[in-house]
Amino acid sequence: VFSLIDCNNFYASCEKLFDPALHTRPLVVLSNNDGCVIARCARAKARNIPMGMPFFKLRERIQQENIAVRSSNYELYGDMSRRVMNTLARCTPHMEIYSIDEAFLTFPDTASGLSDTGQAIRHRLFRETGIPVSVGTAPTKTLAKAANWYAKKHTKRGVCTLESAADISVLVEKLPVEEIWGIGSRHGRRLKERGIITAADFVRAFSPRSVQREMSITGLRTWRELQAIPAIPLEEEPPPKKSLAVTRSFGSMVTAKSDLAQALSRFTERAAEKLRHGSLAAQRMDIFILTNRHRKDLPDYTGHRGYTFPVPTTDTPEMVHTARRLLKEIYRRGFYYKKAGVILSGLTDDTHIQTSLFDPVNRTQSSRLMAACDTINRRYGKTTVHTAAAGGAQKASWTMRQNHLSFCPTTRWKDIITVRV
DNA sequence: TCTGGGGTCCTAGGACCC
DNA sequence: TCTGGGGTCCTAGGACCC
């Protein structure tokens, strides 16, 4: 039996937790670059502010309806997530952290009853972290997801437990096909066009062969799981990362190659830091630059180029140099660029690297230098030392907008909350 | 009358997740 | 003026091997 614990309106809940003035106002949290709405509190949902709505289309309503706005603050959400997961880890020895705000749990003994266990976890999390959650419990992960959907949508207490075959069939008849975990917008739309509206319709409409033919092996797993046949196991150990990316939209449009080069250099440095933080080395690097696809009045262009390193690397200068060389090959004058990114792949453990006689980089020297830089930046701030290519810490045209950023009261001493009594 | 069999690796595109 | 970021998996097709 699996329980899915899912934080309610996670980003909005984190913001409200440390700003009591927000409690009675509708709140929306924006994507990076303050682009569009990615989280809404219950009050904002009640006002029909849709997920993904571009922020500029919301401008007038912000004033009129006294809606609070926050830029994404991942330092805060990341730390709150860690707290939530730590509490959950004390509830059971078997859990899978599925995303920043979700975890699957299984319990060795359920003597106290599944529903009571769900309630107990909910109360404990609220007491220890202040974050409200919903709990869905069922014989498979897909059904636990469905139960969680039901708990959020149709219950007061935020807990839904599917124990009998009858419970399951009632829920599956109600679950809209596009709400099934593993069925996205594309398949959802195609299925609905064929009159397949609920999860129960989906189960009835296919055989194992036909569902696999149309939706591959993953579709078959989903189809089985909806019938209480486990096909997706609990993954307690996260599998090793295969790729890693740093990509950003720019605060304003960029035309000069030098600005793109600076932005890509900064993204590459960040990617390299993440790489070393995970004790990984990268065999391959890809970069891309994009114009704004929403601007129908401007010409469109996408450039991308990759390079496979002769020796898997963790060396920032080597990666920055490569990114800038690749940029020269794809840059076209006259376009207004809106976004760029760096993707590292072919990731391997940094202790098992096949070296080369003709390696241009001294790996021993490089790894000591990188370790020193990482230590300095950890202690004194993220960009205390960096390559000249990435420019200074000052704001550039490509720096992302974050006009509504909150503080980091759980991770920075200077932001710690003062209480006046 | 009419061109083998079996395998790996890589990439692009599509679909999905949060 | 103005629309996010970071991942995974699956499949098909091409290139290449013996």
Side-chain angles (χ1 to χ4, degrees):
Chain A
V1 176
F2 299 86
S3 288
L4 176 68
I5 321 296
D6 191 329
C7 301
N8 299 343
N9 321 319
F10 183 56
Y11 297 171
S13 297
C14 291
E15 296 289 349
K16 290 208 177 194
L17 200 50
F18 295 102
D19 191 347
L22 295 178
H23 278 218
T24 54
R25 295 171 67 190
L27 169 68
V28 298
V29 178
L30 303 179
S31 60
N32 267 339
N33 218 28
D34 292 345
C36 54
V37 174
I38 57 164
R40 306 151 297 157
C41 72
R43 286 171 199 272
K45 284 181 185 171
R47 284 167 189 266
N48 292 320
I49 297 169
M51 189 73 166
M53 163 159 276
F55 181 45
F56 69 88
K57 292 187 179 171
L58 212 58
R59 279 275 155 74
E60 281 186 17
R61 291 186 61 188
I62 299 292
Q63 288 283 327
Q64 289 163 7
E65 303 179 41
N66 190 29
I67 298 168
V69 177
R70 290 288 178 272
S71 304
S72 293
N73 182 348
Y74 289 105
E75 187 170 328
L76 174 62
Y77 313 150
D79 188 60
M80 289 310 299
S81 172
R82 209 175 41 74
R83 294 176 181 210
V84 167
M85 300 307 167
N86 284 346
T87 291
L88 286 176
R90 276 182 260 120
C91 297
T92 172
H94 304 296
M95 74 182 254
E96 170 186 344
I97 298 173
Y98 178 64
S99 75
I100 193 166
D101 72 333
E102 280 171 86
F104 287 102
L105 273 57
T106 63
F107 300 96
D109 95 274
T110 50
S112 56
L114 293 170
S115 252
D116 291 348
T117 305
Q119 275 302 341
I121 289 176
R122 237 181 126 241
H123 288 135
R124 181 169 178 185
L125 270 177
F126 194 73
R127 192 175 64 237
E128 294 186 10
T129 69
I131 298 292
V133 302
S134 302
V135 182
T137 301
T140 66
K141 285 167 112 178
T142 304
L143 286 171
K145 272 275 196 183
N148 195 288
W149 167 83
Y150 189 87
K152 275 202 168 65
K153 208 94 178 171
H154 300 289
T155 69
K156 278 262 179 290
R157 289 152 58 82
V159 172
C160 172
T161 305
L162 306 179
E163 293 196 81
S164 66
D167 294 342
I168 293 168
S169 77
V170 167
L171 186 113
V172 166
E173 292 286 351
K174 283 186 186 159
L175 183 68
V177 75
E178 70 273 17
E179 298 288 347
I180 300 171
W181 183 50
I183 295 190
S185 58
R186 291 293 174 87
H187 281 135
R189 183 158 34 77
R190 272 179 226 160
L191 290 167
K192 279 199 283 186
E193 280 166 9
R194 289 158 56 176
I196 297 166
I197 308 300
T198 67
D201 294 339
F202 173 65
V203 168
R204 285 190 289 260
F206 290 97
S207 66
R209 285 177 67 91
S210 66
V211 75
Q212 179 163 6
R213 179 162 24 86
E214 288 189 42
M215 298 168 64
S216 86
I217 185 74
T218 54
L220 173 60
R221 288 193 193 116
T222 299
W223 185 81
R224 288 220 166 104
E225 288 235 323
L226 286 169
Q227 297 166 83
I229 306 163
I232 306 173
L234 193 74
E235 272 186 8
E236 297 187 55
E237 284 297 314
K241 242 190 198 330
K242 296 182 170 178
S243 70
L244 166 169
V246 176
T247 71
R248 289 286 179 280
S249 293
F250 301 140
S252 53
M253 292 195 287
V254 165
T255 54
K257 185 162 69 178
S258 57
D259 285 336
L260 284 176
Q262 198 179 72
L264 279 167
S265 300
R266 165 74 76 235
F267 301 166
T268 303
E269 285 191 334
R270 271 300 300 145
E273 282 167 13
K274 287 190 191 177
L275 189 70
R276 293 191 296 267
H277 184 69
S279 303
L280 297 166
Q283 181 72 255
R284 189 179 164 82
M285 161 184 260
D286 289 90
I287 69 158
F288 66 84
I289 52 178
L290 301 178
T291 54
N292 187 346
R293 67 182 195 284
H294 299 288
R295 288 289 295 265
K296 299 299 174 206
D297 55 327
L298 294 173
D300 214 26
Y301 172 67
T302 302
H304 49 87
R305 192 74 108 227
Y307 175 68
T308 300
F309 294 104
V311 177
T313 184
T314 61
D315 184 73
T316 294
E318 185 183 22
M319 284 185 256
V320 169
H321 179 80
T322 303
R324 296 170 69 91
R325 184 171 56 71
L326 293 171
L327 173 65
K328 281 185 193 145
E329 296 174 27
I330 56 173
Y331 175 76
R332 301 279 177 276
R333 283 173 71 103
F335 289 100
Y336 292 89
Y337 295 97
K338 184 60 185 171
K339 182 173 176 170
V342 176
I343 302 156
L344 301 177
S345 57
L347 305 188
T348 55
D349 191 314
D350 67 358
T351 54
H352 298 95
I353 293 174
Q354 176 62 56
T355 53
S356 156
L357 279 176
F358 310 106
D359 193 346
V361 180
N362 179 334
R363 300 286 156 188
T364 316
Q365 229 170 52
S366 158
S367 70
R368 290 181 61 191
L369 177 60
M370 292 301 105
C373 291
D374 291 340
T375 304
I376 292 167
N377 286 336
R378 226 182 354 261
R379 188 174 307 167
Y380 299 105
K382 283 191 171 177
T383 53
T384 306
V385 286
H386 57 81
T387 64
Q394 72 277 10
K395 230 169 141 48
S397 60
W398 49 269
T399 315
M400 70 177 171
R401 271 190 304 269
Q402 288 186 301
N403 293 333
H404 311 275
L405 196 56
S406 54
F407 297 109
C408 300
T410 66
T411 50
R412 299 191 188 194
W413 286 111
K414 69 176 174 54
D415 289 352
I416 202 160
I417 301 234
T418 308
V419 180
R420 294 194 182 80
V421 189

